Amino acid sequence: MSVHPRALADALHRTIVGQDAAVEALVLALLANGHVLLEGPPGLAKTLACRALAAALDGDFKRIQFTPDLLPSDIVGTRIFDQHESRFTTVLGPIFANVVLADEINRAPAKVQSALLEAMQERQVTIGPQTHPLPDPFVVMATMNPLDAEGTYALPAAQLDRFLAKVDVSYPSRAEEFEILERFAMNETLPVHAVATLDDVRRWREEAHAIHIDEKLKHYIVELVAVTRERESHYIDYGASPRATLAIANLARAKALLAERDFALPDDVRAVAPLALRHRIGFNFRVTTENVGPAAILDRLIAAVPTP
Amino acid sequence: MARYRSLALAVTLAACALLPAAAQGLQRLTVTRLTLSASTLTPQVEVPFDLVIEAHVKQQVTHLENLDLPVLAEVELLGDENSIVAGPGGSTYTERIRVVAHHSGTITIDPVTLDAIDARDGKAKRYSSNALTLNVQAAGLAGPGSAPIDLFALLVAALRWLFAIALVVFVVAIIFVRRRRAVAPAPVAPPEPVPAQPVEAPPTIEERLSRARELLQASPTRTNVLHVRTVVREMVGANDAETLDDVLRRIPPHDVRMRSLLRALERAAFTHDDDFRTAAADVIRRLEEMT
């Protein structure tokens, strides 16, 4: 019996209280064959959400805690000389897993970040003379603390662009926080068991890829991206790249699949646009000095484009 | 010239005192203001005046490194004092440079620059103030002794102008009054009776929907579906920026027919070609139910 991707989202909701947007973004990125970046202050269940997703899939899961002294070989692997065999053997790094949780990615220096992001893009790793393909499906879920936190390195724009979606994880509501308190007091954090297999994920991705996007919607997506390069120039140094166009389309297809439709709607596009655009727009210092949130500017940009 | 050379040397030394070697690294700052102003924009020759540099940063700092002053070649440097005040909102740096000009004319002073690491994004940046243009007046032009004479001359000139303007207004008024008296009002012909055109009332929204539905029934195409969708969205007061979810939020839950119609229209508007005929038929059926 085939499993619907909604079952995955439901499984995550049984573990995580609230954080609906983060949970949905994780599932959408998985369906759209992309990687996802979660940003928010510590303690907002970012890591728990990624762990729960990995547990809900019947695949390999690895967690890499990024630290300032981490080396690229700690991620991708290295070659070690075997004295008994008198030859070099390759030890694969923790990146060789179906779900990789890159925790606090912005605590590591640029060369380590780029080692991970190259692997994310190429879906293969070269160690010494050999190239090793990464497993399929391969999804990286990176968490990131806000840049003004102590001891963090900014991710370059070109590297942020590799993430299909970025989710800003916010504080829970009072009711949600109360439920968290109740659950943890009762020690009732429900473990998630595998609800889907890797074959299911591969099948969902094929189904998502086949979702129809009408011509009018394609124009709408192009307009949404173009408007980031044309408006709000007081706050924006550079707009979103064409990768954002593809990301919105792929996420909209995934959203339609979650809603059990084989065609996307303007609602799908509008709902996923912030996920694909937020980290691809170069907001300048006025956003901070004038206390205007990037989310508010993004909302204005999206509202400026008529829906089809 | 010798004075200018010594002045340039003095300014360079002052800048060097403020500029540590670049190799020592830049300060990590959030610069919110960097301005250059003068106590007067029209200084007098040989009358000292102040150039004022103000910078505000969000951090608590005791000094500002890498603040680069422009070379003040056209004025003589008399003195320089600076201070920095740190408070909860950051630190404000103020520097007053006392200078004097020896020649009249226009002086342009280049912007002040500050090199720092932007604390928001960790990038090295050069911040620039505004440039300053001063118009140095000759000493006798507005000196204290000549002020009464100038005022009297100004008063006389103003009175002359007022008299001339009053004269022109008086002449124009007389010409205007005479011409009005000379021209007799022309008899106005009564307007030709215009036969009343039958004005067709614009169709009501229900009539438009009915026509759109007939068109869709006759020819179930995507264009006709979109036409019906436009009319229905207009009926429920949807604007250009609203999606189906926005519109549905406004429709009461008990209005099941309208909600179903809106959903069916959305499907027919955006579904793939294989599903379109079924979707269009669904729209027609729901339209019939509504009427």
Side-chain angles (χ1 to χ4, degrees), chain A residues 223-256:
Chain A
E223 277 305 309
L224 282 174
V225 176
V227 85
T228 66
R229 302 168 197 154
E230 293 159 5
R231 291 196 179 210
E232 302 283 354
S233 54
H234 182 65
Y235 296 109
I236 294 175
D237 282 343
Y238 58 88
S241 68
R243 243 187 219 146
T245 315
L246 298 172
I248 295 175
N250 288 338
L251 286 166
R253 286 190 176 103
K255 177 101 176 151

mmCIF file of all heavy atoms in Angstrom, chain A residues 223-256:
data_model
loop_
_atom_site.group_PDB
_atom_site.id
_atom_site.type_symbol
_atom_site.label_atom_id
_atom_site.label_comp_id
_atom_site.label_asym_id
_atom_site.label_seq_id
_atom_site.Cartn_x
_atom_site.Cartn_y
_atom_site.Cartn_z
ATOM 1 N N GLU A 223 7.350 36.774 -12.574
ATOM 2 C CA GLU A 223 7.098 38.137 -12.074
ATOM 3 C C GLU A 223 7.517 38.272 -10.613
ATOM 4 O O GLU A 223 8.083 39.290 -10.218
ATOM 5 C CB GLU A 223 5.608 38.476 -12.203
ATOM 6 C CG GLU A 223 5.199 38.954 -13.580
ATOM 7 C CD GLU A 223 6.011 40.146 -14.051
ATOM 8 O OE1 GLU A 223 6.113 41.129 -13.304
ATOM 9 O OE2 GLU A 223 6.573 40.070 -15.157
ATOM 10 N N LEU A 224 7.216 37.242 -9.825
ATOM 11 C CA LEU A 224 7.572 37.290 -8.394
ATOM 12 C C LEU A 224 9.080 37.431 -8.205
ATOM 13 O O LEU A 224 9.537 38.158 -7.320
ATOM 14 C CB LEU A 224 7.097 36.005 -7.687
ATOM 15 C CG LEU A 224 5.622 35.915 -7.344
ATOM 16 C CD1 LEU A 224 5.291 34.534 -6.796
ATOM 17 C CD2 LEU A 224 5.223 36.970 -6.321
ATOM 18 N N VAL A 225 9.833 36.755 -9.044
ATOM 19 C CA VAL A 225 11.296 36.847 -8.922
ATOM 20 C C VAL A 225 11.786 38.181 -9.484
ATOM 21 O O VAL A 225 12.642 38.848 -8.887
ATOM 22 C CB VAL A 225 11.978 35.651 -9.620
ATOM 23 C CG1 VAL A 225 13.480 35.789 -9.581
ATOM 24 C CG2 VAL A 225 11.564 34.351 -8.954
ATOM 25 N N ALA A 226 11.203 38.587 -10.617
ATOM 26 C CA ALA A 226 11.646 39.847 -11.250
ATOM 27 C C ALA A 226 11.417 41.043 -10.337
ATOM 28 O O ALA A 226 12.236 41.963 -10.288
ATOM 29 C CB ALA A 226 10.914 40.031 -12.574
ATOM 30 N N VAL A 227 10.323 41.014 -9.602
ATOM 31 C CA VAL A 227 9.977 42.163 -8.757
ATOM 32 C C VAL A 227 11.018 42.356 -7.641
ATOM 33 O O VAL A 227 11.242 43.474 -7.174
ATOM 34 C CB VAL A 227 8.538 41.976 -8.212
ATOM 35 C CG1 VAL A 227 8.489 41.141 -6.972
ATOM 36 C CG2 VAL A 227 7.869 43.292 -7.989
ATOM 37 N N THR A 228 11.724 41.287 -7.263
ATOM 38 C CA THR A 228 12.762 41.430 -6.226
ATOM 39 C C THR A 228 13.963 42.205 -6.759
ATOM 40 O O THR A 228 14.787 42.686 -5.989
ATOM 41 C CB THR A 228 13.263 40.056 -5.717
ATOM 42 O OG1 THR A 228 13.940 39.382 -6.781
ATOM 43 C CG2 THR A 228 12.136 39.198 -5.206
ATOM 44 N N ARG A 229 14.079 42.269 -8.097
ATOM 45 C CA ARG A 229 15.222 42.994 -8.683
ATOM 46 C C ARG A 229 14.843 44.414 -9.054
ATOM 47 O O ARG A 229 15.690 45.200 -9.446
ATOM 48 C CB ARG A 229 15.698 42.271 -9.948
ATOM 49 C CG ARG A 229 16.099 40.843 -9.696
ATOM 50 C CD ARG A 229 16.275 40.102 -11.012
ATOM 51 N NE ARG A 229 16.277 38.667 -10.805
ATOM 52 C CZ ARG A 229 15.914 37.784 -11.725
ATOM 53 N NH1 ARG A 229 15.539 38.191 -12.916
ATOM 54 N NH2 ARG A 229 15.932 36.494 -11.451
ATOM 55 N N GLU A 230 13.549 44.714 -9.002
ATOM 56 C CA GLU A 230 13.095 46.012 -9.500
ATOM 57 C C GLU A 230 12.545 46.925 -8.413
ATOM 58 O O GLU A 230 12.627 48.144 -8.534
ATOM 59 C CB GLU A 230 12.004 45.795 -10.560
ATOM 60 C CG GLU A 230 12.542 45.142 -11.824
ATOM 61 C CD GLU A 230 11.446 44.471 -12.640
ATOM 62 O OE1 GLU A 230 10.256 44.602 -12.274
ATOM 63 O OE2 GLU A 230 11.791 43.814 -13.634
ATOM 64 N N ARG A 231 11.967 46.361 -7.384
ATOM 65 C CA ARG A 231 11.326 47.191 -6.351
ATOM 66 C C ARG A 231 12.113 47.176 -5.046
ATOM 67 O O ARG A 231 13.003 46.371 -4.879
ATOM 68 C CB ARG A 231 9.913 46.675 -6.079
ATOM 69 C CG ARG A 231 8.982 46.916 -7.249
ATOM 70 C CD ARG A 231 7.557 46.744 -6.789
ATOM 71 N NE ARG A 231 6.646 46.983 -7.884
ATOM 72 C CZ ARG A 231 5.428 47.453 -7.729
ATOM 73 N NH1 ARG A 231 4.969 47.724 -6.537
ATOM 74 N NH2 ARG A 231 4.641 47.637 -8.765
ATOM 75 N N GLU A 232 11.723 48.068 -4.161
ATOM 76 C CA GLU A 232 12.295 48.144 -2.805
ATOM 77 C C GLU A 232 13.819 48.264 -2.853
ATOM 78 O O GLU A 232 14.519 47.691 -2.012
ATOM 79 C CB GLU A 232 11.887 46.907 -1.972
ATOM 80 C CG GLU A 232 10.399 46.710 -1.826
ATOM 81 C CD GLU A 232 9.753 47.639 -0.812
ATOM 82 O OE1 GLU A 232 10.483 48.388 -0.126
ATOM 83 O OE2 GLU A 232 8.508 47.654 -0.748
ATOM 84 N N SER A 233 14.338 48.990 -3.852
ATOM 85 C CA SER A 233 15.795 49.079 -3.998
ATOM 86 C C SER A 233 16.431 49.832 -2.822
ATOM 87 O O SER A 233 17.640 49.757 -2.623
ATOM 88 C CB SER A 233 16.157 49.755 -5.308
ATOM 89 O OG SER A 233 15.507 50.986 -5.392
ATOM 90 N N HIS A 234 15.617 50.543 -2.061
ATOM 91 C CA HIS A 234 16.132 51.217 -0.864
ATOM 92 C C HIS A 234 16.628 50.185 0.160
ATOM 93 O O HIS A 234 17.567 50.454 0.911
ATOM 94 C CB HIS A 234 14.994 52.065 -0.269
ATOM 95 C CG HIS A 234 15.396 52.856 0.936
ATOM 96 N ND1 HIS A 234 16.315 53.873 0.879
ATOM 97 C CD2 HIS A 234 15.015 52.772 2.233
ATOM 98 C CE1 HIS A 234 16.468 54.390 2.081
ATOM 99 N NE2 HIS A 234 15.704 53.734 2.928
ATOM 100 N N TYR A 235 15.994 49.017 0.157
ATOM 101 C CA TYR A 235 16.355 47.989 1.138
ATOM 102 C C TYR A 235 17.089 46.799 0.520
ATOM 103 O O TYR A 235 17.591 45.953 1.236
ATOM 104 C CB TYR A 235 15.094 47.450 1.829
ATOM 105 C CG TYR A 235 14.356 48.484 2.635
ATOM 106 C CD1 TYR A 235 13.138 48.982 2.214
ATOM 107 C CD2 TYR A 235 14.896 48.981 3.814
ATOM 108 C CE1 TYR A 235 12.461 49.947 2.953
ATOM 109 C CE2 TYR A 235 14.239 49.945 4.545
ATOM 110 C CZ TYR A 235 13.018 50.417 4.114
ATOM 111 O OH TYR A 235 12.367 51.369 4.844
ATOM 112 N N ILE A 236 17.077 46.707 -0.804
ATOM 113 C CA ILE A 236 17.610 45.502 -1.458
ATOM 114 C C ILE A 236 18.801 45.870 -2.333
ATOM 115 O O ILE A 236 18.692 46.733 -3.201
ATOM 116 C CB ILE A 236 16.509 44.812 -2.297
ATOM 117 C CG1 ILE A 236 15.413 44.278 -1.376
ATOM 118 C CG2 ILE A 236 17.079 43.692 -3.137
ATOM 119 C CD1 ILE A 236 14.236 43.682 -2.098
ATOM 120 N N ASP A 237 19.935 45.212 -2.097
ATOM 121 C CA ASP A 237 21.116 45.443 -2.928
ATOM 122 C C ASP A 237 21.063 44.605 -4.203
ATOM 123 O O ASP A 237 21.456 45.046 -5.257
ATOM 124 C CB ASP A 237 22.395 45.093 -2.152
ATOM 125 C CG ASP A 237 22.765 46.193 -1.178
ATOM 126 O OD1 ASP A 237 22.250 47.318 -1.330
ATOM 127 O OD2 ASP A 237 23.552 45.938 -0.250
ATOM 128 N N TYR A 238 20.638 43.358 -4.072
ATOM 129 C CA TYR A 238 20.494 42.523 -5.264
ATOM 130 C C TYR A 238 19.290 41.592 -5.088
ATOM 131 O O TYR A 238 18.966 41.174 -3.973
ATOM 132 C CB TYR A 238 21.777 41.719 -5.554
ATOM 133 C CG TYR A 238 22.219 40.827 -4.440
ATOM 134 C CD1 TYR A 238 21.736 39.524 -4.320
ATOM 135 C CD2 TYR A 238 23.111 41.280 -3.479
ATOM 136 C CE1 TYR A 238 22.126 38.711 -3.283
ATOM 137 C CE2 TYR A 238 23.514 40.474 -2.442
ATOM 138 C CZ TYR A 238 23.019 39.187 -2.346
ATOM 139 O OH TYR A 238 23.415 38.385 -1.318
ATOM 140 N N GLY A 239 18.643 41.302 -6.226
ATOM 141 C CA GLY A 239 17.430 40.477 -6.179
ATOM 142 C C GLY A 239 17.755 38.999 -6.288
ATOM 143 O O GLY A 239 18.921 38.597 -6.308
ATOM 144 N N ALA A 240 16.696 38.204 -6.368
ATOM 145 C CA ALA A 240 16.862 36.742 -6.378
ATOM 146 C C ALA A 240 17.387 36.278 -7.733
ATOM 147 O O ALA A 240 17.138 36.898 -8.768
ATOM 148 C CB ALA A 240 15.536 36.080 -6.065
ATOM 149 N N SER A 241 18.102 35.149 -7.704
ATOM 150 C CA SER A 241 18.700 34.589 -8.921
ATOM 151 C C SER A 241 17.674 33.729 -9.657
ATOM 152 O O SER A 241 16.631 33.384 -9.096
ATOM 153 C CB SER A 241 19.890 33.717 -8.530
ATOM 154 O OG SER A 241 19.412 32.575 -7.847
ATOM 155 N N PRO A 242 17.984 33.338 -10.905
ATOM 156 C CA PRO A 242 17.063 32.429 -11.618
ATOM 157 C C PRO A 242 16.861 31.098 -10.883
ATOM 158 O O PRO A 242 15.885 30.410 -11.122
ATOM 159 C CB PRO A 242 17.748 32.213 -12.961
ATOM 160 C CG PRO A 242 18.604 33.412 -13.142
ATOM 161 C CD PRO A 242 19.062 33.807 -11.777
ATOM 162 N N ARG A 243 17.823 30.742 -10.016
ATOM 163 C CA ARG A 243 17.614 29.526 -9.212
ATOM 164 C C ARG A 243 16.356 29.654 -8.363
ATOM 165 O O ARG A 243 15.698 28.657 -8.062
ATOM 166 C CB ARG A 243 18.813 29.306 -8.297
ATOM 167 C CG ARG A 243 19.541 28.034 -8.581
ATOM 168 C CD ARG A 243 20.601 27.776 -7.556
ATOM 169 N NE ARG A 243 21.783 27.213 -8.204
ATOM 170 C CZ ARG A 243 23.004 27.443 -7.824
ATOM 171 N NH1 ARG A 243 23.241 28.244 -6.816
ATOM 172 N NH2 ARG A 243 24.017 26.888 -8.445
ATOM 173 N N ALA A 244 16.028 30.882 -7.986
ATOM 174 C CA ALA A 244 14.817 31.107 -7.187
ATOM 175 C C ALA A 244 13.574 30.760 -8.005
ATOM 176 O O ALA A 244 12.597 30.220 -7.469
ATOM 177 C CB ALA A 244 14.761 32.558 -6.731
ATOM 178 N N THR A 245 13.617 31.067 -9.300
ATOM 179 C CA THR A 245 12.471 30.758 -10.176
ATOM 180 C C THR A 245 12.223 29.250 -10.181
ATOM 181 O O THR A 245 11.077 28.793 -10.021
ATOM 182 C CB THR A 245 12.775 31.253 -11.609
ATOM 183 O OG1 THR A 245 13.316 32.566 -11.524
ATOM 184 C CG2 THR A 245 11.541 31.256 -12.467
ATOM 185 N N LEU A 246 13.323 28.502 -10.375
ATOM 186 C CA LEU A 246 13.192 27.037 -10.397
ATOM 187 C C LEU A 246 12.757 26.517 -9.028
ATOM 188 O O LEU A 246 11.933 25.605 -8.931
ATOM 189 C CB LEU A 246 14.526 26.409 -10.782
ATOM 190 C CG LEU A 246 15.045 26.772 -12.174
ATOM 191 C CD1 LEU A 246 16.460 26.263 -12.363
ATOM 192 C CD2 LEU A 246 14.125 26.185 -13.231
ATOM 193 N N ALA A 247 13.303 27.140 -7.978
ATOM 194 C CA ALA A 247 12.978 26.676 -6.621
ATOM 195 C C ALA A 247 11.494 26.884 -6.324
ATOM 196 O O ALA A 247 10.835 26.003 -5.753
ATOM 197 C CB ALA A 247 13.830 27.423 -5.602
ATOM 198 N N ILE A 248 10.958 28.041 -6.723
ATOM 199 C CA ILE A 248 9.530 28.298 -6.460
ATOM 200 C C ILE A 248 8.677 27.271 -7.202
ATOM 201 O O ILE A 248 7.727 26.707 -6.646
ATOM 202 C CB ILE A 248 9.132 29.733 -6.875
ATOM 203 C CG1 ILE A 248 9.857 30.764 -5.994
ATOM 204 C CG2 ILE A 248 7.626 29.933 -6.759
ATOM 205 C CD1 ILE A 248 9.621 32.198 -6.405
ATOM 206 N N ALA A 249 9.041 27.022 -8.461
ATOM 207 C CA ALA A 249 8.251 26.069 -9.248
ATOM 208 C C ALA A 249 8.295 24.670 -8.609
ATOM 209 O O ALA A 249 7.256 24.012 -8.464
ATOM 210 C CB ALA A 249 8.783 26.021 -10.669
ATOM 211 N N ASN A 250 9.489 24.249 -8.197
ATOM 212 C CA ASN A 250 9.618 22.904 -7.609
ATOM 213 C C ASN A 250 8.886 22.797 -6.275
ATOM 214 O O ASN A 250 8.243 21.785 -5.982
ATOM 215 C CB ASN A 250 11.094 22.553 -7.424
ATOM 216 C CG ASN A 250 11.763 22.280 -8.751
ATOM 217 O OD1 ASN A 250 11.090 21.960 -9.736
ATOM 218 N ND2 ASN A 250 13.069 22.449 -8.807
ATOM 219 N N LEU A 251 8.996 23.848 -5.474
ATOM 220 C CA LEU A 251 8.304 23.831 -4.176
ATOM 221 C C LEU A 251 6.786 23.885 -4.373
ATOM 222 O O LEU A 251 6.036 23.253 -3.624
ATOM 223 C CB LEU A 251 8.771 25.006 -3.317
ATOM 224 C CG LEU A 251 10.182 24.868 -2.725
ATOM 225 C CD1 LEU A 251 10.673 26.207 -2.190
ATOM 226 C CD2 LEU A 251 10.200 23.834 -1.614
ATOM 227 N N ALA A 252 6.341 24.633 -5.384
ATOM 228 C CA ALA A 252 4.893 24.711 -5.647
ATOM 229 C C ALA A 252 4.357 23.349 -6.079
ATOM 230 O O ALA A 252 3.251 22.942 -5.693
ATOM 231 C CB ALA A 252 4.610 25.762 -6.718
ATOM 232 N N ARG A 253 5.159 22.638 -6.866
ATOM 233 C CA ARG A 253 4.751 21.274 -7.277
ATOM 234 C C ARG A 253 4.640 20.375 -6.039
ATOM 235 O O ARG A 253 3.679 19.615 -5.905
ATOM 236 C CB ARG A 253 5.793 20.686 -8.238
ATOM 237 C CG ARG A 253 5.755 21.264 -9.620
ATOM 238 C CD ARG A 253 6.644 20.462 -10.555
ATOM 239 N NE ARG A 253 6.538 20.964 -11.909
ATOM 240 C CZ ARG A 253 7.455 21.730 -12.490
ATOM 241 N NH1 ARG A 253 8.539 22.074 -11.833
ATOM 242 N NH2 ARG A 253 7.279 22.148 -13.724
ATOM 243 N N ALA A 254 5.627 20.484 -5.152
ATOM 244 C CA ALA A 254 5.605 19.662 -3.942
ATOM 245 C C ALA A 254 4.392 20.007 -3.079
ATOM 246 O O ALA A 254 3.754 19.122 -2.503
ATOM 247 C CB ALA A 254 6.899 19.888 -3.158
ATOM 248 N N LYS A 255 4.083 21.276 -3.019
ATOM 249 C CA LYS A 255 2.935 21.730 -2.215
ATOM 250 C C LYS A 255 1.628 21.169 -2.801
ATOM 251 O O LYS A 255 0.733 20.746 -2.058
ATOM 252 C CB LYS A 255 2.923 23.260 -2.220
ATOM 253 C CG LYS A 255 1.784 23.899 -1.501
ATOM 254 C CD LYS A 255 2.191 24.384 -0.146
ATOM 255 C CE LYS A 255 1.020 25.113 0.498
ATOM 256 N NZ LYS A 255 1.045 25.033 1.933
ATOM 257 N N ALA A 256 1.550 21.162 -4.133
ATOM 258 C CA ALA A 256 0.357 20.598 -4.789
ATOM 259 C C ALA A 256 0.249 19.103 -4.496
ATOM 260 O O ALA A 256 -0.847 18.586 -4.253
ATOM 261 C CB ALA A 256 0.430 20.851 -6.290
#
